[in-house]
Amino acid sequence: QVQLVQSGAEVKKPGSSVKVSCKASGGTFSSYTISWVRQAPGQGLEWMGRIIVLLDITDYAQKFQGRVTITADKSTSTAYMELSSLRSEDTAVYYCARVKEDQLLVWGQGTLVTVSS
Amino acid sequence: SYELTQPPSVSVSPGQTATITCSGDALPKQYAYWYQQKPGQAPLLVTYKDSERPSGIPERFSGSSSGTTVTLTISGVQAEDEADYYCQSADSSGTYTIFGGGTKLTVL
């Protein structure tokens, strides 16, 4: 049974960066594609990007190009999402999800990132 | 940029049928997926590849596709089905994932 466990909540200052981790267990991490999705308070789901772990290939939503970096460490079965130049509008719950044939099949529990001065 | 359009809200009485639509120009080329999200929880996949249902999802959840519109149908709605529902697909290139704006299902 594949499980994704994310790092804990973060409080960040505007202009800083945040790095959220997503540790996988119960499967073959190197065969995964991991997507990152965020949800601002009271708002909908927003896809940020993905990494094809085996090939180390990333794709990013145009909105986040230049501000987001998704990486994966095969040795620890952990994916990371780093978002820079944070602003108040980036306050959201950030989810990682394992992608299988375009479906987001298994989700992490979510990480709340609060951006506040 | 490419968008998927859903109605903001749908209301239905218990036992009746709820239909939630999702429209997008690339839907004839790309599969659609539906997720249920309850407050404070991560989304849960309820249908995939337009009309398939994952194991463990009740049979009352079904999906269909026609042209540029996909539809999630919940037959015999129960109180526990009250949630936000999101469609998801990809752009025409298949590279970028996109979500609809979400539909709040209210069980009266």
Side-chain angles (χ1 to χ4, degrees):
Chain A
Q1 190 84 341
V2 176
Q3 272 194 310
L4 301 175
V5 178
Q6 298 182 221
S7 49
E10 303 257 16
V11 179
K12 293 292 183 179
K13 301 283 190 192
S16 67
S17 298
V18 68
K19 192 170 186 177
V20 180
S21 68
C22 170
K23 184 171 177 60
S25 61
T28 306
F29 181 73
S30 59
S31 69
Y32 291 177
T33 294
I34 299 287
S35 271
W36 287 88
V37 176
R38 78 175 186 180
Q39 186 170 38
Q43 301 301 307
L45 302 173
E46 185 173 33
W47 184 76
M48 301 179 69
R50 68 175 183 184
I51 184 164
I52 303 171
V53 174
L54 182 66
L55 304 174
D56 206 23
I57 289 174
T58 53
D59 294 295
Y60 301 123
Q62 187 174 10
K63 175 177 178 176
F64 299 102
Q65 284 273 2
R67 265 209 318 144
V68 68
T69 304
I70 297 173
T71 56
D73 183 341
K74 298 183 189 68
S75 68
T76 60
S77 299
T78 304
Y80 299 91
M81 185 284 301
E82 184 170 21
L83 188 62
S84 62
S85 303
L86 291 170
R87 34 206 187 234
S88 59
E89 310 90 88
D90 294 318
T91 293
V93 175
Y94 289 76
Y95 293 100
C96 63
R98 183 205 165 188
V99 181
K100 182 179 177 184
E101 296 176 341
D102 287 337
Q103 58 195 288
L104 281 67
L105 196 57
V106 178
W107 293 67
Q109 83 276 18
T111 297
L112 176 62
V113 175
T114 304
V115 183
S116 174
S117 55
Chain B
S1 61
Y2 181 49
E3 292 183 351
L4 295 175
T5 302
Q6 298 180 233
S9 62
V10 168
S11 299
V12 66
S13 298
Q16 298 206 319
T17 296
T19 58
I20 301 173
T21 58
C22 172
S23 298
D25 289 341
L27 288 175
K29 288 182 57 177
Q30 301 292 345
Y31 283 124
Y33 307 84
W34 287 95
Y35 300 85
Q36 176 194 70
Q37 188 182 34
K38 296 182 178 179
Q41 296 183 16
L44 173 70
L45 182 73
V46 293
T47 69
Y48 66 100
K49 290 186 177 178
D50 293 345
S51 59
E52 300 295 319
R53 190 173 52 249
S55 61
I57 300 300
E59 289 184 9
R60 64 181 182 273
F61 289 87
S62 64
S64 61
S65 175
S66 179
T68 58
T69 300
V70 294
T71 302
L72 174 69
T73 301
I74 311 171
S75 305
V77 166
Q78 301 182 7
E80 68 200 50
D81 299 330
E82 186 164 283
D84 294 324
Y85 291 85
Y86 294 90
C87 63
Q88 174 240 315
S89 187
D91 70 331
S92 55
S93 74
T95 301
Y96 302 100
T97 294
I98 184 162
F99 287 96
T103 298
K104 181 174 181 59
L105 176 65
T106 300
V107 182
L108 301 170

